[in-house]
Amino acid sequence: VRLCRCRCRALLSRSAGVLRALRGLAAGPEMHFGFQTVTEAERREKIYQVFESVAKKYDVMNDSMTLGIHRVWKDILMHKMNPSPGTLLLDVAGGTGDVAFRFINYVRSVRERQLQRKLKHHQNLSWQEIFDSYQKDKFNSLGDSQVVVCDINREMLKVGKQKAQHLGYCEGLSWVLGNAEELPFDDDKFDVYTIAFGIRNVTRIDLALQEAYRVLKPGGRFLCLEFSHVSNPLLSRLYDLYSFQVIPVLGEVIAGDWKSYQYLVESIRRFPPQEELKAMIEDAGFFRVDYENLNFGIVAIHSGFKL
Amino acid sequence: RGGEEEEEVEEGWHQLYPGHIPTSPLQKALLAAGSAVMALYNPYRHDMVAVLGETTGCLALPNLRDKMKNHPEGYRILQERPRIRLSTLDMARLRGLPDGSLGREYVRFLEDNKVSPDTRMPPKFVDDEELAYVIQRYREVHDLMHTLLGMPTNMLGEVVVKWFEAVQTGLPMCVLGAAFGPVRLSARKLQVLATELVPWAIRSGLNASCILNVYYEQRWEQPVESLREEIGIFPPP
């Protein structure tokens, strides 16, 4: 583990330090980018570049790094959300569309069951009436549900749109370029707001949470799926070992990009732990804030309501 | 927890050269295995071949470096660190040289095969600055090997050059490339490879002096034949 600690650090050459000192006053407060210290502006730029470069291999890498378990995490998020047809979802940092597609699938299957139940109750209707009811509901397989995928990164959205086309998702799906800290949407618009594995990359988390509060309707729900902290010491060491030794190697071999995945594991370590994030969500005005640990805290789902 | 780790940061990690990524022995082992598999699975991943070379070269590279140090021309190369890049080469002048000269034939090779010396990967995982240069030099000299051996950049040509380089440098990446490269060749090509080309490549490799000890940039005018003789490469079949 000590090996991990010594080895897996960001570079801080002397000249960069001098430059930073000179620019420091003008460019804004110091922030972290993984284990490096950078200005706010630099951080945004670097993160943009990370996702620009990983966009095409994002899904493959997710599967390799988590051995496919990220799919289960996202499924659990969807079950927790339990959306009913007619829900308007905003998926921020939704990039390649994983949460959005799951939402559509979920709502579609709920809708199907709804229709089946309706049919059962209408078994005494005439054939004509049954046929008519098909017509009415046929063009409403989603039941007016909609999901807006918002991401700050063009490349990620591009990959998401291509995926949607490839998989056949067209109804009820919109793609918007936007910044979580300053959403291009009006107040009180959405029923649910999700941000899956995205809030870690936001530079001002407090602003993103405030925006989430703003765009949600009263009664709306905030859901955040994110890497979090493992408290079990043995598991934590194994997790560190895997994160720092294996993941950058996977990044290099599969995506030809060591640095982005080094950033990824470092940013996870830098992100506030469960209780701290809960407090931040409460500060933004949400009520009934709670979290659920998945896999001993490797991942956590935080939930809050706007009343 | 983040704060306490920060203090350890500064001491442990230092970049030895631009592009250097320090790695633990475990990471190197994983990289070696991963890059080998990926290079076989997708031969277009030249970066994986490069990574394999870097992570497995820990014995061969110091060997090569010592060979260079003990040779007057090789020593000069280590001191002066010349780089073969489009920006450092005067393509017009080389093109103007007489046919049969190293410079003219090298440019012809680049144009015929539509390759450029600038596509060589810079080293990332070599933990010694001088050895990083040695492997960089080996990569940049690769195209000149093609020229001297008269081999094109198709799969067959590359395999032949790999056999030559394997004998010359002892780099495990070359050995693996030489051994596994032929897997994707047709039977007819395999036959030519086995009966004529590989024996010739091996004989030349054994006979020739170290190819990294030649200051190619100062020999553009030298005819290829004469350079071949000087190094000890037998004429291609």
Side-chain angles (χ1 to χ4, degrees):
Chain A
V1 175
R2 243 197 74 228
L3 200 65
C4 303
R5 288 213 180 122
C6 290
R7 288 293 176 186
C8 308
R9 292 299 182 259
L11 57 105
L12 283 170
S13 62
R14 260 172 265 139
S15 53
V18 170
L19 270 175
R20 257 206 316 281
L22 288 173
R23 285 187 297 181
L25 297 167
E30 299 254 289
M31 313 216 80
H32 57 85
F33 174 75
F35 291 151
Q36 293 180 47
T37 308
V38 295
T39 63
E40 204 171 291
E42 279 174 334
R43 186 175 196 268
R44 283 177 217 274
E45 180 60 34
K46 279 180 179 279
I47 290 179
Y48 192 92
Q49 283 167 358
V50 163
F51 283 93
E52 202 174 40
S53 96
V54 307
K56 292 199 176 72
K57 295 273 175 129
Y58 186 73
D59 293 322
V60 173
M61 278 302 302
N62 282 347
D63 277 331
S64 328
M65 291 191 292
T66 63
L67 303 172
I69 301 176
H70 75 105
R71 296 167 187 241
V72 177
W73 292 331
K74 288 168 185 158
D75 288 339
I76 294 177
L77 176 71
M78 203 42 57
H79 278 270
K80 200 177 169 86
M81 188 195 302
N82 193 16
S84 46
T87 302
L88 184 50
L89 168 67
L90 173 64
D91 182 28
V92 176
T96 56
D98 277 347
V99 169
F101 301 152
R102 277 175 174 76
F103 172 78
I104 292 177
N105 290 343
Y106 195 98
V107 157
R108 223 179 241 155
S109 71
V110 170
R111 181 80 180 139
E112 259 173 49
R113 264 179 282 140
Q114 256 182 2
L115 291 175
Q116 270 175 353
R117 270 196 302 255
K118 217 166 81 170
L119 278 179
K120 274 207 168 136
H121 289 143
H122 290 166
Q123 275 170 344
N124 57 343
L125 291 178
S126 69
W127 312 137
Q128 187 60 41
E129 285 168 306
I130 295 178
F131 180 68
D132 285 338
S133 78
Y134 282 166
Q135 302 286 47
K136 214 179 2 137
D137 294 322
K138 185 176 163 185
F139 298 98
N140 211 351
S141 63
L142 286 178
D144 292 326
S145 320
Q146 271 194 73
V147 51
V148 177
V149 179
C150 180
D151 201 292
I152 198 174
N153 195 297
R154 268 194 187 83
E155 281 308 308
M156 294 290 280
L157 279 178
K158 209 161 88 174
V159 172
K161 278 196 247 191
Q162 283 168 354
K163 231 169 89 176
Q165 225 174 17
H166 185 63
L167 294 170
Y169 291 100
C170 37
E171 246 192 299
L173 190 56
S174 313
W175 306 86
V176 175
L177 190 70
N179 183 344
E181 296 170 15
E182 211 179 322
L183 291 171
F185 306 112
D186 213 349
D187 302 1
D188 304 328
K189 278 271 169 300
F190 297 96
D191 295 309
V192 187
Y193 173 112
T194 51
I195 182 163
F197 301 117
I199 204 163
R200 202 180 69 250
N201 301 304
V202 168
T203 306
R204 293 281 307 274
I205 298 178
D206 54 337
L207 291 182
L209 292 172
Q210 282 169 31
E211 280 294 273
Y213 190 85
R214 180 179 69 80
V215 302
L216 275 172
K217 287 184 198 161
R221 189 176 196 184
F222 169 86
L223 282 167
C224 168
L225 174 67
E226 190 52 84
F227 288 109
S228 203
H229 285 247
V230 178
S231 43
N232 178 315
L234 173 64
L235 205 63
S236 170
R237 289 172 84 153
L238 285 174
Y239 180 46
D240 277 353
L241 187 73
Y242 178 74
S243 295
F244 285 100
Q245 297 298 309
V246 179
I247 288 186
V249 173
L250 280 177
E252 180 70 24
V253 172
I254 297 177
D257 190 347
W258 176 286
K259 295 241 160 93
S260 294
Y261 289 90
Q262 182 74 39
Y263 160 72
L264 174 90
V265 296
E266 290 177 359
S267 69
I268 293 175
R269 297 298 173 300
R270 283 293 210 154
F271 188 68
Q274 287 86 331
E275 282 294 326
E276 208 179 303
L277 184 60
K278 177 175 168 198
M280 290 172 80
I281 298 173
E282 280 167 346
D283 283 344
F286 290 99
F287 285 91
R288 291 283 302 275
V289 180
D290 201 9
Y291 61 85
E292 184 188 332
N293 274 344
L294 302 177
N295 291 119
F296 298 102
I298 293 180
V299 163
I301 300 181
H302 280 73
S303 159
F305 290 90
K306 171 175 177 174
L307 295 180
Chain B
R1 191 170 160 232
E4 146 216 305
E5 281 177 347
E6 285 263 53
E7 281 142 33
E8 293 178 56
V9 171
E10 271 39 327
E11 307 142 34
W13 178 289
H14 37 267
Q15 240 195 0
L16 295 170
Y17 50 86
H20 180 214
I21 298 176
T23 42
S24 67
L26 174 60
Q27 284 175 321
K28 284 203 179 62
L30 291 171
L31 269 174
S35 60
V37 170
M38 188 53 97
L40 275 176
Y41 174 72
N42 183 355
Y44 291 104
R45 289 289 302 272
H46 299 298
D47 62 322
M48 286 294 101
V49 178
V51 168
L52 182 61
E54 289 168 33
T55 49
T56 54
C58 42
L59 287 173
L61 283 176
N63 216 342
L64 278 173
R65 190 255 312 266
D66 293 339
K67 272 195 199 164
M68 286 176 82
K69 268 208 170 122
N70 296 331
H71 187 278
E73 217 171 323
Y75 186 78
R76 252 191 316 127
I77 295 173
L78 274 179
Q79 297 289 79
E80 291 170 32
R81 304 275 179 101
R83 299 287 306 273
I84 302 177
R85 269 188 293 215
L86 282 176
S87 52
T88 55
L89 295 175
D90 187 349
M91 298 298 275
R93 181 178 86 92
L94 295 180
R95 220 174 271 124
L97 289 172
D99 281 344
S101 65
L102 181 65
R104 183 72 193 91
E105 295 310 310
Y106 176 61
V107 172
R108 183 169 293 147
F109 166 81
L110 289 179
E111 286 170 353
D112 283 351
N113 291 278
K114 297 193 186 42
V115 288
S116 148
D118 289 359
T119 56
R120 300 293 151 200
M121 292 271 308
K124 287 191 284 216
F125 303 111
V126 181
D127 288 337
D128 177 304
E129 191 256 335
E130 197 171 32
L131 295 181
Y133 175 75
V134 172
I135 207 171
Q136 176 94 74
R137 181 78 183 157
Y138 152 75
R139 282 179 193 158
E140 291 179 354
V141 154
H142 178 77
D143 288 334
L144 282 158
M145 288 304 100
H146 274 278
T147 312
L148 284 176
L149 294 171
M151 289 289 130
T153 55
N154 55 23
M155 200 66 194
L156 185 64
E158 291 289 354
V159 171
V160 177
V161 177
K162 274 284 163 293
W163 275 96
F164 178 78
E165 286 176 343
V167 173
Q168 273 273 313
T169 64
L171 281 169
M173 178 263 284
C174 297
V175 174
L176 286 171
F180 286 97
V183 158
R184 290 176 177 260
L185 290 173
S186 66
R188 191 176 53 85
K189 285 190 177 161
L190 272 174
Q191 211 193 15
V192 174
L193 192 70
T195 53
E196 288 177 34
L197 295 172
V198 168
W200 162 71
I202 297 179
R203 266 184 297 125
S204 292
L206 289 171
N207 187 49
S209 60
C210 182
I211 40 132
L212 288 181
N213 280 339
V214 181
Y215 209 137
Y216 298 99
E217 292 92 327
Q218 295 179 344
R219 292 165 178 267
W220 293 125
E221 290 88 1
Q222 187 175 1
V224 172
E225 310 253 319
S226 136
L227 187 57
R228 265 192 207 134
E229 231 186 273
E230 192 185 325
I231 299 178
I233 299 176
F234 297 124

